[in-house]
Amino acid sequence: MIESSVNSKILRDHNSWPNYGTTPIAITDSTLIETGDAISHSNRETKGSNWTAYINVVCLLAGSGTLGIPYAIQQGGWISLPVLFLSGIICTYANIKLIECLYHDGKTRKTSISDLAYDAFGNIGLRIVGFFFTAISVGCSILYLILAGESLQPLFVNIGIDLGMTNWIYICSAVMAVPFIFLKTMKEAAWLSVFGALTTALAVLVVFVTSVMEYPQNEPIQHDFVNFREIPLAMATFSFSYAGNIVFPHVEASMEHPRSWPTVYIHAMCTVTLMYLMIGIPAYITYGHTTLSPIYLNLPSGFAVTTSILMMTAHVLLALPIYQTAFSLEIEDYLGINVENLGKSREFIFRTLFRLVIVIITTYFAVTIPYFSDLMALLGASGNGLLLSIMPILFWVQLFGWNQLNGWKEKCWVIFALIFSFYGFFVGTFDALTALWLDIIGESESGQ
């Protein structure tokens, strides 16, 4: 991480810094008075290991979008690979800065992105971030239910079981309501992340092996080194392939040693990027211009396709409670649903009822809203575009000060990262708006 500068009012005792690794965060007039491990919050979660945090992050990032990476490379050509790396580096930088911001006042640890939005930009920032945070947290849960239903329905139809997609959504919702309601914190939900990460890794391995085996049997395939027209779309895809930071404050809060966050997060990002390369490079080499999204559409029917669909469906269902838990923790904190206020028995009852309401609402929207996938793509493109890298960097600059950046090199990097991220934000939003509009127009024409 680029080391931040500190001003003359920094405490002489280095043990007072909330160190992340070996690098102190920038400290202004309100200097942190305790270490990052010691700063406490009344609702700080039961501590978990660095390994737990690492698995949570990997499960959040390497989701169903993994199967779209080969198509993104096909869009932009081989030049897309440096764009993938650049997107990962920017996201890593931004989300290390995001966690630093949680300790900006030197007294207490902030609990969420919404807190930082208010501290940095007041009510306007809170409204903007709060809207997208809620939309993405709830919307991703709804979208995951839809994706699970869409995946399971055709698989079981092939073996003579036709329940209909709506019934599969109900089944998936009921199954995943159990861990969501009874696993209170991110630490307790970590075992879901373990299985989620394993299912994604297995899907990546299946596609990797199948692509390599298919290569000798394919006719000569055309590849592009660069496709300037499609690079922006590939860039938007890569940027959003690292989305999930709305949950990161809760993951970091669950760590026994929160100052290890940069190390944990960097290792998780490297793991996810390796998965993207393993699935993207051999698939594009084998299928070239014919590469589709999701990539299992290119695979020969049979074991490979079935395994890939099942594994990614399992991942979606395992990641769903993690998104729901992060959202619920924030609302529960706001409503005062905790042991300190209610006692253990009443806290469990109120928490169970509240989370049950969330399950019912997400299920209802999953089976009733038309074009929800395209609508969520729009919210994801705009919301993740802002929350993933733009807002964390702006938070840090606003809370710590532009001059606290480490010289002109880091300042130039911040400017470049913001331009790159804004570009991906606009391209992704426009593309999602176009897809939604075409669906609406197509539906109206078919109804005439």
Side-chain angles (χ1 to χ4, degrees):
M1 186 177 92
I2 301 175
E3 185 174 347
S4 304
S5 60
V6 293
N7 65 16
S8 59
K9 293 190 178 183
I10 194 167
L11 292 182
R12 301 300 183 214
D13 182 6
H14 287 198
N15 291 329
S16 67
W17 294 349
N19 289 325
Y20 290 91
T22 59
T23 306
I25 68 172
I27 301 178
T28 56
D29 290 349
S30 39
T31 308
L32 292 180
I33 58 176
E34 297 180 72
T35 67
D37 290 345
I39 286 181
S40 64
H41 184 274
S42 60
N43 292 321
R44 192 170 183 87
E45 300 168 20
T46 305
K47 306 299 188 294
S49 66
N50 291 349
W51 170 252
T52 299
Y54 164 82
I55 289 296
N56 273 327
V57 175
V58 171
C59 182
L60 286 167
L61 297 183
S64 56
T66 304
L67 299 179
I69 292 296
Y71 180 70
I73 296 176
Q74 183 265 339
Q75 286 180 303
W78 287 118
I79 199 67
S80 299
L81 293 178
V83 176
L84 171 65
F85 281 108
L86 184 57
S87 299
I89 293 170
I90 291 175
C91 291
T92 301
Y93 175 84
N95 289 298
I96 289 176
K97 291 294 188 186
L98 174 70
I99 299 303
E100 289 179 6
C101 289
L102 297 175
Y103 299 88
H104 75 89
D105 71 355
K107 300 176 183 178
T108 59
R109 177 192 179 277
K110 303 299 180 179
T111 60
S112 69
I113 292 180
S114 298
D115 289 341
L116 299 181
Y118 180 78
D119 289 350
F121 298 108
N123 286 325
I124 294 178
L126 179 61
R127 291 190 184 100
I128 295 173
V129 170
F131 169 79
F132 284 115
F133 173 84
T134 303
I136 292 172
S137 298
V138 178
C140 280
S141 299
I142 299 170
L143 182 62
Y144 280 6
L145 285 177
I146 294 173
L147 291 175
E150 289 178 343
S151 298
L152 291 175
Q153 168 65 9
L155 281 180
F156 280 85
V157 165
N158 290 336
I159 60 174
I161 301 175
D162 185 4
L163 299 180
M165 194 184 82
T166 298
N167 287 326
W168 279 115
I169 291 177
Y170 288 138
I171 293 171
C172 293
S173 178
V175 170
M176 297 318 299
V178 176
F180 170 54
I181 290 173
F182 290 99
L183 300 179
K184 179 180 178 181
T185 66
M186 294 300 295
K187 178 189 175 183
E188 294 169 355
W191 67 271
L192 295 175
S193 298
V194 172
F195 290 107
L198 288 175
T199 56
T200 303
L202 182 57
V204 169
L205 183 61
V206 168
V207 175
F208 174 83
V209 172
T210 305
S211 299
V212 171
M213 293 177 63
E214 283 282 295
Y215 178 73
Q217 305 173 29
N218 280 11
E219 298 178 359
I221 296 296
Q222 181 181 353
H223 303 87
D224 290 328
F225 176 74
V226 58
N227 184 353
F228 289 106
R229 185 177 180 181
E230 302 295 335
I231 283 180
L233 296 177
M235 186 181 75
T237 300
F238 293 145
S239 295
F240 305 140
S241 295
Y242 292 108
N245 67 339
I246 58 175
V247 185
F248 291 168
H250 297 285
V251 175
E252 190 264 355
S254 70
M255 295 174 64
E256 183 178 1
H257 301 292
R259 63 182 174 182
S260 299
W261 168 257
T263 301
V264 169
Y265 182 55
I266 289 171
H267 280 84
M269 288 289 285
C270 289
T271 302
V272 171
T273 302
L274 179 61
M275 288 184 181
Y276 291 164
L277 294 176
M278 284 184 63
I279 198 171
I281 293 177
Y284 183 53
I285 289 176
T286 300
Y287 303 110
H289 276 187
T290 64
T291 303
L292 301 173
S293 179
I295 187 60
Y296 62 69
L297 296 176
N298 286 103
L299 305 183
S301 59
F303 174 79
V305 173
T306 302
T307 301
S308 298
I309 295 175
L310 285 175
M311 290 302 100
M312 294 314 300
T313 302
H315 174 93
V316 163
L317 293 177
L318 291 167
L320 195 156
I322 299 175
Y323 273 100
Q324 291 178 318
T325 298
F327 174 71
S328 297
L329 287 172
E330 293 217 8
I331 306 301
E332 290 162 11
D333 181 52
Y334 176 77
L335 296 176
I337 302 177
N338 54 59
V339 175
E340 290 79 6
N341 291 336
L342 303 174
K344 287 187 177 180
S345 298
R346 292 180 65 201
E347 184 271 344
F348 175 77
I349 293 173
F350 277 88
R351 173 165 51 86
T352 300
L353 291 174
F354 175 71
R355 295 193 178 191
L356 186 59
V357 169
I358 292 179
V359 171
I360 293 172
I361 291 174
T362 54
T363 305
Y364 172 78
F365 283 124
V367 299
T368 57
I369 297 181
Y371 319 122
F372 186 82
S373 296
D374 285 336
L375 179 61
M376 191 59 216
L378 173 59
L379 291 173
S382 55
N384 282 325
L386 288 174
L387 299 182
L388 184 59
S389 54
I390 296 172
M391 295 307 290
I393 294 175
L394 294 180
F395 289 159
W396 198 97
V397 172
Q398 180 70 11
L399 294 171
F400 290 109
W402 175 256
N403 290 329
Q404 293 296 330
L405 294 170
N406 190 27
W408 67 269
K409 290 183 179 180
E410 188 174 9
K411 291 177 181 177
C412 290
W413 165 251
V414 165
I415 292 172
F416 171 78
L418 288 173
I419 293 174
F420 183 93
S421 300
F422 269 113
Y423 186 53
F425 161 71
F426 286 120
V427 170
T429 301
F430 177 79
D431 187 49
L433 274 172
T434 301
L436 180 60
W437 175 252
L438 290 176
D439 271 355
I440 295 173
I441 294 298
E443 180 71 17
S444 63
E445 289 179 350
S446 62
Q448 291 177 355

